[in-house]
Amino acid sequence: MTGRHREGRPYSLVYRRVWDGPARAEAERLSQVWSEWTVFYSLSKRSFHAVASWDSPHLVMVEDATTERLEERMREAEMNRLLQAAPPQRGGGESPSAEGTAGKRRRGGRAA
């Protein structure tokens, strides 16, 4: 029987290849810069993924092939989060639907 791992053979170092090292390093950097996100690089898809760590009823995850576009998607997701959390703006007085209903009644009353 032959082979490197055969019983009785001395231990030998094996070259460990780091696949897509620069991309993985960039994902780690983004994960540190964006504190509310966990960023990783997918070897199988060759793309960057970011998962939001804030409290949400559903998973918030974005994906892109470049870090620049991934950051854009992360900003968009944060903006959507802020817009959903903001209370609705009220103009003052009646709501637009009530004003529209009142106007229809007046016009209908004149025509009849």
Side-chain angles (χ1 to χ4, degrees):
M1 181 153 118
T2 63
R4 180 182 4 208
H5 303 290
R6 183 176 79 204
E7 199 174 312
R9 296 278 301 180
Y11 178 79
S12 63
L13 290 175
V14 178
Y15 173 73
R16 181 175 180 250
R17 180 171 184 177
V18 179
W19 296 93
D20 291 331
R24 292 168 78 182
E26 185 65 13
E28 179 65 30
R29 186 192 67 77
L30 284 177
S31 204
Q32 291 172 359
V33 171
W34 293 78
S35 60
E36 291 190 336
W37 294 84
T38 300
V39 181
F40 59 94
Y41 181 73
S42 172
L43 289 171
S44 61
K45 290 188 172 187
R46 302 273 194 246
S47 62
F48 294 91
H49 299 263
V51 179
S53 59
W54 63 70
D55 192 24
S56 175
H58 60 280
L59 177 69
V60 179
M61 183 172 160
V62 293
E63 168 189 359
D64 211 292
T66 66
T67 56
E68 293 82 13
R69 289 181 35 205
L70 180 77
E71 287 183 291
E72 287 176 19
R73 291 177 186 249
M74 291 163 69
R75 279 188 208 97
E76 289 172 5
E78 287 185 350
M79 282 302 253
N80 287 339
R81 173 186 174 207
L82 292 173
L83 290 174
Q84 290 174 355
Q89 297 288 328
R90 294 232 169 201
E94 296 182 51
S95 68
S97 60
E99 290 173 9
T101 306
K104 288 179 185 174
R105 286 183 187 151
R106 274 187 253 134
R107 274 179 265 158
R110 286 184 218 146

